[in-house]
Amino acid sequence: MFLAWKELLYSKLKFSLIIGVLVLIGYLLFLISGLSNGLMNMNREAIDTWGGDAIIMTEESNQNLAQSVIDKDAVEGDFKDISPIRNTAVITSTDDRKQNALLFGIDKGTFIEPEVIEGKMFKEDFEVVADDTFKEKGFKIGDDLDLAGTDESLTITGFTAGAKYNAAPILYANNDTADVLTNGRLKDKVNAFVVKDPDFKNIKVNNDLQVVDTESFIKKLPGYTEQKLTLDFMSYFLFAISAFIIGIFLYVITIQKAPIYGLLKAQGISNSFLGKSVIYQTLMLSVLAVIIALALTFLTAYFLPPVVPIIFKWQMIAIYAATLIITALLGGLFSIRSVQKVDPLKTIG
């Protein structure tokens, strides 16, 4: 440890370059992690706020909510608690702005009723509680939203947080509003039921229906799994790149220090002591780089506009930080073999 620390202090510029590379890799990795979580959350946050255990849809819908149409009394009394939902896509606008959205017709008083953070819950037909994305875009409580393709309009009575489905903001309204906007297609019918019952797997439903647990339903959302896999693979490649880069840097530095290692060996310093010095050095470099990368990441996130979805999960951040450090240590292991091969007689001359 002493030898490793002294060398870091002596060769500041050389080791600053290694730290700089690791900082950039860690910075990119943590940002990708936050953006990945943010993007994934945009797809599922409304479903998470519902707090349901499963979703009931028609078998032929292929787990597509909009393509599922069920009689509203199809599963009445079968589960502990169910909440029907109706769904339709809308394009809303005022005089100076437009916003694509999904309108969800719900029963008031059910467990999926949104928590209003500003304003009040809808009471009448064509009143809606909007996701706070509308507020960020400049919409206000009391605004009348014209609907493309119809003569109807909606009035915002309140805002709620965490109401996005498949990255689209949600407008919550009553069932009569949803019936009108779907041209009566959902009269006495619903798109799906959200189930709150831990024993849902033990309850049988009609053959033309399927009960899908919430996580499986989320994974089938269009683009969700593909986005997640793409971003995950980017992270994996960054880990591999970091190990490769740190390995090259330390190997080159080790070769340059061969005469010094030869002199130390001639004085009786063991290979294990020198090997530990390399590992301690790599550990200090990687820990310092991770701390700097985290600081830069949080600073960047602070200045990002609200429209950029970025969410940090401390457990994931800790895993990534630890993995980055371990990856750097694995890269440093390649240099230990070079230290062991140094012949003191040849290097001293």
Side-chain angles (χ1 to χ4, degrees):
M1 178 72 80
F2 175 79
L3 179 62
W5 178 247
K6 282 295 184 181
E7 189 176 6
L8 287 176
L9 293 178
Y10 181 77
S11 305
K12 296 184 184 67
L13 179 60
K14 182 165 53 178
F15 289 106
S16 293
L17 293 175
I18 300 177
I19 292 175
V21 172
L22 283 174
V23 166
L24 292 175
I25 293 174
Y27 176 61
L28 182 58
L29 184 62
F30 295 139
L31 271 182
I32 287 177
S33 171
L35 292 170
S36 174
N37 291 332
L39 286 171
M40 296 303 99
N41 189 66
M42 285 179 66
N43 285 281
R44 61 179 295 162
E45 64 180 16
I47 303 171
D48 289 336
T49 59
W50 294 343
D53 297 305
I55 310 288
I56 300 176
M57 295 169 291
T58 56
E59 188 73 43
E60 63 182 6
S61 67
N62 193 30
Q63 298 185 30
N64 187 315
L65 194 65
Q67 299 302 316
S68 173
V69 179
I70 312 172
D71 291 335
K72 66 179 183 180
D73 56 354
V75 293
E76 187 174 354
D78 293 340
F79 298 89
K80 288 182 179 179
D81 199 358
I82 61 171
S83 182
I85 52 175
R86 294 169 173 82
N87 164 247
T88 186
V90 294
I91 302 175
T92 64
S93 64
T94 57
D95 292 335
D96 57 348
R97 57 181 61 88
K98 288 185 177 182
Q99 178 64 51
N100 294 342
L102 293 173
L103 184 136
F104 277 72
I106 63 171
D107 291 338
K108 289 185 65 176
T110 57
F111 61 87
I112 67 171
E113 180 179 307
E115 180 182 352
V116 179
I117 59 173
E118 184 180 340
K120 60 183 180 180
M121 190 66 181
F122 59 80
K123 292 183 179 179
E124 307 293 335
D125 294 351
F126 301 104
E127 291 183 344
V128 295
V129 171
D131 175 55
D132 54 8
T133 298
F134 278 83
K135 183 179 178 180
E136 294 169 1
K137 295 292 182 64
F139 293 90
K140 303 181 296 296
I141 293 174
D143 279 354
D144 290 327
L145 307 176
D146 296 325
L147 299 177
T150 75
D151 296 327
E152 307 293 347
S153 64
L154 304 171
T155 302
I156 298 177
T157 63
F159 292 109
T160 184
K164 292 185 183 68
Y165 178 89
N166 214 185
I170 290 176
L171 296 169
Y172 286 103
N174 63 19
N175 287 313
D176 290 337
T177 302
D179 288 342
V180 172
L181 296 182
T182 56
N183 297 317
R185 183 174 67 92
L186 296 178
K187 188 68 175 178
D188 297 325
K189 296 182 181 296
V190 299
N191 287 114
F193 295 96
V194 183
V195 176
K196 203 169 188 179
D197 188 343
D199 298 324
F200 69 89
K201 292 182 180 180
N202 300 322
I203 299 174
K204 292 184 178 181
V205 295
N206 295 335
N207 291 333
D208 59 342
L209 301 180
Q210 60 177 332
V211 183
V212 183
D213 67 90
T214 302
E215 281 301 320
S216 297
F217 175 73
I218 290 172
K219 289 177 182 178
K220 286 284 288 185
L221 291 174
Y224 179 86
T225 300
E226 291 80 1
Q227 289 179 30
K228 189 174 188 308
L229 286 175
T230 300
L231 293 168
D232 285 346
F233 272 112
M234 289 176 66
S235 300
Y236 301 152
F237 282 124
L238 278 173
F239 284 133
I241 290 170
S242 65
F244 186 70
I245 290 175
I246 192 67
I248 291 176
F249 267 94
L250 292 177
Y251 179 77
V252 172
I253 291 173
T254 301
I255 296 300
Q256 291 176 341
K257 294 186 299 184
I260 298 175
Y261 285 132
L263 182 60
L264 291 173
K265 283 188 175 183
Q267 294 177 348
I269 304 298
S270 64
N271 282 327
S272 62
F273 181 88
L274 295 175
K276 288 178 182 178
S277 176
V278 172
I279 294 299
Y280 286 140
Q281 202 169 76
T282 306
L283 179 62
M284 286 186 282
L285 291 172
S286 57
V287 169
L288 182 58
V290 165
I291 293 173
I292 297 173
L294 283 173
L296 289 175
T297 302
F298 293 135
L299 184 64
T300 302
Y302 179 79
F303 287 104
L304 286 176
V307 71
V308 179
I310 186 165
I311 296 174
F312 296 109
K313 296 181 179 179
W314 289 107
Q315 183 179 4
M316 188 63 67
I317 288 293
I319 292 173
Y320 276 18
T323 305
L324 187 61
I325 293 171
I326 293 171
T327 304
L329 290 173
L330 291 175
L333 289 176
F334 291 103
S335 300
I336 295 179
R337 182 62 179 164
S338 300
V339 173
Q340 293 174 341
K341 287 183 175 180
V342 173
D343 188 342
L345 294 178
K346 290 183 179 179
T347 54
I348 293 175

